[in-house]
Amino acid sequence: MIKYEQRKSKIKEILFDYKIQLISETTPDELYENFLANFNVTSDILQKKQMNCWYKWSCSIIDSAKFVSGFKDASDFNELVKRFNYNTSSRIALPLLIATKIKGIGFALACDLLKELGYTYYPKPDVHMIDVFHGIGLCEKDPVSVFEAIERMAADCCTVDEVTPYNGNLVRS
């Protein structure tokens, strides 16, 4: 619906050339109205604003900018992630924090975000993993239980030092 690839130059302009501070000073309503003024989203406009994907995306963008602007730089964020990398319970807390701070980002998507940023000890417990892991009796049917099950499996099944739950080269012992 957003068609980011087709609209990325205009989106970049609307988002102040991705200047985080300027984005974080904008309200979701202002951003939403700017998107509506620039893109033909008539079918989406018929929905209630809070249910509208453009409004939800606007909220996520603003919340993300506010969250990111709380860090001095990338190494400051890296230090936060390192502090949460003590054990499974503390690792679970970071994506829960991100999911709380950024509307539209749930636990699984926060894990995926961290994993895509290079923190490979964050597996993505998506709906498919939930179905499979719950279906074979390894955990309850929720993302946090799946996260814990993936960590247990990685620890139990890997013979290579420092293999993370997301590593594609797991070796069974």
Side-chain angles (χ1 to χ4, degrees), residues 62-81:
I62 301 302
D63 285 352
S64 297
K66 287 179 179 180
F67 182 74
V68 169
S69 67
F71 300 97
K72 291 182 289 198
D73 52 28
S75 64
D76 192 26
F77 179 76
N78 191 48
E79 284 303 313
L80 173 78
V81 177

Side-chain angles (χ1 to χ4, degrees), residues 28-29 32 49-60:
D29 288 327
Y32 172 69
K49 183 162 75 171
Q50 287 77 13
M51 299 303 293
N52 181 292
C53 72
W54 285 91
Y55 186 75
K56 288 179 181 181
W57 193 46
S58 297
C59 291
S60 293

